[in-house]
């Protein structure tokens, strides 16, 4: 009772990165609160899920196995969570701020009448005093999220309703194995007790999912291009530099919108969050929504022909110049000196 | 064949131009300080409804919005683009709502509107940015939902087929009516205002607008009932005031911080060959690259 729950997103028997990141965060929260961490897996191929999640410190894994639960559709997964939560009364429930999490989370929160905070960038435990009524709430979940296009950060709490629900984007929390030998308990539920046949009214006619070829999130070096790169052809310069350095290419939203780069390369508030060893920002002005996704990079180099571009304020090295000139020189001197 | 479609549309502050004075001390938004616009993805939603109406001309589209008196602008904007009717849900008791209280209020208004085949909303509003209201309205009404829709591929009285966007792909789903669809920004953009409708609905007003603006062409509003925009309060939709606004909101804003980034001491270089070669050597030496 009153534990921390994480809803696992599963594609083809594999737990999504974002869910593992949330288990890592959930482990910390549960230890701080002195309660257990529980995970929910609903789908078809679930045999290896326990091996995947126990190392992250899950104490209990709830299994709901049924062919009809995969691929995900809204209503049956909602029924599972709603009915499970009515029994288990979690204090916290975390989900990915993904297409699935943002489809499921609000539906579950509405059915339970509990609050849901979207796209949190930080989750902390803390107290809250309601001065008007002189009441102190202990160990609430502070759900910290940017809003208003990234211009403000709001601390949201949910004093009176449970579970306290929050969604978090992929890449925001860090994934970390707690103990490779950690052993939890598996609880298999009978899906019939949770889901009614009426829940299967929406059917999937066709589905194309491609494994993402781009892996910017885990790349130690990122060469990122903005609108200032000027064209799709010029973006090739970034790929050339990335090739010699063994890096991935990222992009600002303006570059993605202009068609210079694919959407999955977008970094920032509405893209992925990255924290590489080296981030080279090429022709990126550094608007708040972009910085939100890369400010934790260990070393930042900005290449920009405007010496007062906002990104320069957070860069360790500022190269003032045109990318057309600077990047070929970086490639040349890297080749010359790396041997 | 004709359909009864409700489009949910929100008036939002243009968050692409937020100044420092946009937030009040109590953490609520000072909407007055920002230009108010039709939430961009709600325009994509309206276009999906208009597309169905093109195909089935008897279709009726009603725009529903909850907000302060001036949110009536959203209803007129909808009419100018081809909607048939608009309802403004406005009451002090709705103020300070989180997504749950918002969806409760909207669902009560929908119930008041009677039979419908479909509700279409935007995926997400650009101020709150939660994408929660659509699914929560669907849940409150006990109907299925299809989120992240990119195109309505076909519709008949029994079912609808929708293409939706996934992170790394697309999905085509089929569902029975009535249901709620949330529309993604990658869907078709909305057609512009239509000059004919602009003429027709220029003077469409809510009762409050007519009172505050001292407009009193009683005859005009009697002769052309479509110029009277419906305005509903908490009582008009039989809503429980406790479940509305701040009191109906489980989430509370504890505090708001403005975002400021810590400036770093940065080294300045030019595109000079020696400077760039030295930088590369330094990065190789400290194992950042290579
Ligand atoms: C709700 C919301 C969410 C958003 N989410 C994101 C997000 O996730 N990620 C994101 O990136 N943006 C996001 N944005 C958009 C963001 O506000 C900016 O519009 C965007 O980041 C700007 O991209 P940019 O820096 O590439 O382009 P610009 O601002 O146009 O900057 C181009 C830069 O290139 C420089 N330049 C021009 N030519 C050259 C040259 N030849 N050589 C070198 N430098 C040159 C210019 O000096 C300038 O600094 C979001 C906006 C909103 C409202
Ligand atoms: C800084 C800040 C942070 C917030 N964080 C949260 C939070 O994490 N959780 C939470 O529950 N609330 C939160 N809120 C409150 C939330 O913004 C409001 O409840 C808002 O009225 C609805 O949410 P949204 O703007 O996110 O809309 P979304 O859920 O993003 O809107 C989706 C769609 O629903 C429809 N819709 C939404 N509102 C209306 C309306 N008034 N009239 C007609 N149609 C509408 C539109 O079609 C819209 O495209 C926050 C508010 C602020 C100021």
């Amino acid at each position: 009772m009153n534990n921390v729950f994480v809803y696992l997103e599963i594609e083809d028997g594999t737990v999504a990165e974002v869910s593992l990141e949330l288990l890592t965060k959930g482990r910390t929260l549960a230890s701080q609160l002195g309660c257990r961490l529980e995970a929910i897996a609903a789908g078809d191929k679930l045999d290896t899920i326990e091996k995947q999640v126990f190392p992250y410190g899950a104490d209990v894994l709830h299994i709901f196995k049924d062919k009809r639960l995969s691929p995900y559709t809204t209503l049956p997964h909602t029924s599972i969570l709603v009915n499970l939560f009515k029994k288990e009364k979690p204090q916290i429930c975390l989900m990915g701020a993904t297409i699935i999490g943002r489809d499921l989370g609000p539906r579950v929160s509405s059915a339970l009448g509990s609050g849901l905070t979207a796209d949190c960038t930080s989750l902390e435990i803390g107290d809250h005093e309601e001065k008007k009524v002189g009441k102190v709430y202990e160990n609430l979940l502070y759900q910290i999220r940017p809003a208003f296009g990234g211009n403000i950060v709001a601390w949201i709490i949910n004093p009176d309703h449970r579970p306290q629900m929050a969604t978090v984007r992929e890449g925001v929390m860090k994934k970390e194995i707690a103990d490779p030998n950690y052993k939890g308990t598996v609880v298999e539920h009978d899906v019939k007790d949770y889901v009614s046949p009426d829940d299967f009214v929406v059917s999937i006619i066709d589905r194309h999912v491609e494994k993402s070829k781009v892996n910017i999130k885990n790349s130690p070096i990122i060469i990122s291009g903005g609108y200032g790169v000027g064209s799709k052809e010029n973006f090739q310069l970034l790929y050339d530099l990335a090739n010699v350095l063994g890096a991935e290419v990222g992009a600002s939203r303006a570059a993605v919108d202009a068609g210079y780069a694919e959407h999955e390369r977008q970094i920032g508030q509405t893209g992925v969050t990255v924290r590489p060893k080296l981030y080279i920002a090429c022709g990126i002005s550094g608007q708040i929504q972009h910085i939100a996704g890369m400010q934790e990079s260990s070393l930042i180099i900005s290449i920009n022909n405007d010496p007062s571009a906002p990104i320069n304020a957070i860069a360790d090295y500022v190269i003032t110049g045109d990318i057309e000139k600077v990047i070929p020189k970086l490639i040349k001197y890297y080749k010359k000196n790396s041997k | 064949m004709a359909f009864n479609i409700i489009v949910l549309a929100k008036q939002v502050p243009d968050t692409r131009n937020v100044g420092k004075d946009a937030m009040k001390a109590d953490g609520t938004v000072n909407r007055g300080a920002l230009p108010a616009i039709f939430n961009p993805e709600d325009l994509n939603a309206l276009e999906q409804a208009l597309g169905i109406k093109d195909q089935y001309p008897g279709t009726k589209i009603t725009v529903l919005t909850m907000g302060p008196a001036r949110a009536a602008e959203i209803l007129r904007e909808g009419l100018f683009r081809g909607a048939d009717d608009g309802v403004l849900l406005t009451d002090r008791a709705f103020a300070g709502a989180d997504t749950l209280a918002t969806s409760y209020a909207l669902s009560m208004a929908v119930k008041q509107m009677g039979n419908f085949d479909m509700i279409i909303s935007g995926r997400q509003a650009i101020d709150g940015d939660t994408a929660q209201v659509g699914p929560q309205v669907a849940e409150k009404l006990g109907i299925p939902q299809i989120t992240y829709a990119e195109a309505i591929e076909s519709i008949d009285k029994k079912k609808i087929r929708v293409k939706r966007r996934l992170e790394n792909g697309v999905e085509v789903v089929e569902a029975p009516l009535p249901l709620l669809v949330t529309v993604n920004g990658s869907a078709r953009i909305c057609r512009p205002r239509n000059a004919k409708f602009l003429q027709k609905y220029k003077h469409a007003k809510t009762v409050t607008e007519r009172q505050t603006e001292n407009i009193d062409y009683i005859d005009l509003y009697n002769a052309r009932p479509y110029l009277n925009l419906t305005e509903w309060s908490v009582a008009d939709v039989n809503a429980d005031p406790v479940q509305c606004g701040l009191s109906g909101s489980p989430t509370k804003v504890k505090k708001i911080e403005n975002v400021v980034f810590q400036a770093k001491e940065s080294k300045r270089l030019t595109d000079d060959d020696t400077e760039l070669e030295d930088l590369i050597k330094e990065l190789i030496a400290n194992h950042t690259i290579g």
Side-chain angles (χ1 to χ4, degrees), chain A residues 116-118 145, chain B residues 8-10 42 66 97-99 122 125 130-133:
Chain A
L116 171 62
T117 306
R145 69 174 298 241
Chain B
L8 303 181
K10 184 185 185 186
D42 300 353
M66 179 180 97
D98 73 355
T99 60
T130 67
Q132 289 172 187
V133 170

Side-chain angles (χ1 to χ4, degrees), chain B residues 4-280:
Chain B
N4 215 337
I5 303 176
I6 299 168
V7 173
L8 303 181
K10 184 185 185 186
Q11 190 176 44
V12 292
D14 193 348
T15 53
R16 292 162 292 196
N17 301 299
V18 176
K20 285 214 165 35
D21 41 40
M23 306 303 297
K24 289 189 269 188
D26 63 353
T28 56
V29 178
N30 186 3
R31 279 158 203 278
L34 291 172
I37 59 168
F38 203 107
N39 180 48
E41 286 183 328
D42 300 353
L43 283 175
N44 298 101
L46 177 60
E47 177 58 31
Q48 290 300 320
L50 292 168
I52 295 173
K53 190 173 158 147
D54 291 342
Q55 216 181 335
Y56 303 104
T59 294
K60 182 179 179 210
I61 302 173
T62 308
V63 176
L64 168 63
T65 191
M66 179 180 97
R70 76 159 166 167
E73 287 161 15
I74 294 301
L75 306 183
R76 275 187 294 276
E77 185 68 44
L79 294 168
F80 295 161
R81 291 176 194 255
D84 301 278
D85 202 356
V87 174
L88 170 67
L89 195 55
T90 188
D91 198 310
R92 269 174 197 286
F94 290 132
D98 73 355
T99 60
L100 213 59
T102 301
S103 46
Y104 170 71
L106 291 171
S107 69
M108 292 309 284
V110 168
K111 285 181 187 163
Q112 198 63 24
M113 291 161 79
N115 284 337
F116 64 91
D117 296 297
M118 179 165 35
I119 301 174
I120 311 184
S121 78
R123 175 190 58 124
Q124 177 165 343
I126 59 168
D127 54 345
D129 269 345
T130 67
Q132 289 172 187
V133 170
Q136 290 177 335
V137 169
E139 194 282 332
K140 298 255 176 285
L141 294 167
I143 56 175
Q145 70 196 42
I146 299 174
T147 53
Y148 290 82
E150 211 157 63
I152 293 175
E153 296 200 325
S154 67
I155 179 167
D156 63 38
K157 270 290 168 191
K158 286 207 199 70
K159 60 182 189 305
I160 183 172
R161 195 177 267 222
V162 177
K163 183 168 111 193
R164 62 192 295 263
R165 174 106 328 247
L166 304 176
E167 268 101 5
N168 297 310
V170 288
E171 192 173 76
V172 177
V173 299
E174 206 168 77
L177 299 180
L179 89 170
L180 183 142
V181 176
T182 82
V183 180
N184 212 27
S186 55
R188 223 177 24 237
I189 60 163
C190 194
R191 63 196 64 185
R193 298 167 170 198
N194 173 313
K196 198 177 78 197
F197 297 142
L198 217 116
Q199 276 307 314
K200 180 174 172 186
Y201 290 113
K202 205 165 49 180
H203 297 293
K205 301 272 165 167
T206 60
V207 178
T208 306
E209 282 181 310
R210 284 171 56 190
Q211 284 165 354
T212 51
E213 296 168 27
N214 280 319
I215 301 174
D216 192 29
Y217 320 107
I218 302 279
D219 295 349
L220 179 70
Y221 289 92
N222 283 341
R224 301 184 192 162
Y226 58 81
L227 292 181
N228 295 293
L229 296 178
T230 308
E231 187 180 321
W232 280 338
S233 65
V234 169
D236 292 329
V237 298
N238 300 312
D240 167 13
V242 179
Q243 293 186 61
C244 296
L246 209 53
S247 62
S249 299
T251 62
K252 314 275 176 216
V253 176
K254 183 175 164 68
K255 68 173 179 186
I256 298 266
E257 283 171 355
N258 285 314
V259 173
V260 264
F261 288 106
Q262 216 61 46
K264 280 186 193 165
E265 191 75 47
S266 34
K267 281 196 196 149
R268 294 268 171 174
L269 311 175
T270 67
D271 60 7
D272 172 79
D273 282 83
T274 331
E275 288 185 42
L276 294 179
E277 183 164 12
D278 286 348
L279 170 65
I280 290 287

Side-chain angles (χ1 to χ4, degrees), chain A residues 4-235:
Chain A
V4 175
F5 278 67
V6 173
Y7 170 82
L8 303 175
E9 266 179 54
I10 298 163
E11 179 85 35
D12 216 16
T14 305
V15 178
E17 287 277 303
V18 66
S19 306
L20 300 176
E21 292 161 9
L22 289 177
L23 284 172
T24 307
K25 185 70 201 181
R27 182 63 264 165
T28 312
L29 296 174
S31 301
Q32 229 176 321
L33 292 166
C35 70
R36 291 194 306 195
L37 174 65
E38 310 199 18
I40 306 158
D44 186 17
K45 290 191 235 159
L46 303 178
D47 300 343
T48 67
I49 303 296
E50 55 180 286
K51 280 207 207 78
Q52 296 175 56
V53 301
F54 285 148
Y56 291 89
D59 299 299
V60 181
L61 171 64
H62 296 271
I63 296 270
F64 295 85
K65 195 165 179 301
D66 191 317
K67 271 205 170 55
R68 298 170 303 169
L69 295 173
S70 174
Y72 166 90
T73 52
T74 314
L75 299 179
H77 283 247
T78 301
S79 293
I80 285 173
L81 293 199
V82 169
N83 291 322
L84 181 68
F85 288 176
K86 280 182 181 160
K87 278 196 275 190
E88 296 286 340
K89 308 209 179 320
Q91 55 174 315
I92 291 173
C93 167
L94 306 178
M95 299 187 190
T98 54
I99 288 183
I100 288 179
R102 294 169 119 227
D103 182 82
L104 177 65
R107 187 109 193 168
V108 172
S109 88
S110 174
L112 295 172
S114 60
L116 171 62
T117 306
D119 292 355
C120 296
T121 48
S122 180
L123 297 168
E124 290 168 19
I125 302 294
D127 298 341
H128 174 68
E129 187 183 352
E130 199 59 64
K131 295 219 173 65
K132 275 185 219 134
V133 287
K135 192 169 169 188
V136 176
Y137 295 85
E138 282 175 2
N139 291 331
L140 287 185
L141 184 66
Y142 293 165
Q143 300 153 82
I144 303 163
R145 69 174 298 241
F148 251 60
N151 295 279
I152 58 159
V153 173
W155 295 53
I156 308 227
I157 48 169
N158 193 335
D160 296 310
H161 299 264
R162 294 293 174 272
Q164 306 166 83
M165 295 179 64
T167 66
V168 180
R169 278 178 196 277
E170 178 173 344
V172 170
M173 302 293 170
K174 267 188 220 166
K175 152 182 112 165
E176 209 168 344
I177 288 192
D179 170 1
N181 302 316
Y182 203 85
K183 272 281 159 286
T185 327
V186 177
V187 182
E188 283 221 37
H189 296 269
D190 192 343
V191 174
K192 282 199 306 299
D193 299 342
Y194 290 80
V195 179
S196 91
D198 293 346
D199 288 329
F200 296 96
V201 290
V202 178
S203 46
I204 297 174
I205 306 293
D206 196 14
R207 193 165 186 270
H208 296 280
V209 181
E210 286 171 19
K211 277 255 181 309
S212 173
K213 292 177 288 293
V214 187
N215 189 4
I216 39 174
K217 212 186 70 186
N218 294 317
S219 180
I221 304 175
I222 295 173
I223 318 295
S224 197
Y227 192 67
V229 172
S231 66
K232 201 170 172 165
E233 290 67 46
N234 269 358
F235 241 77

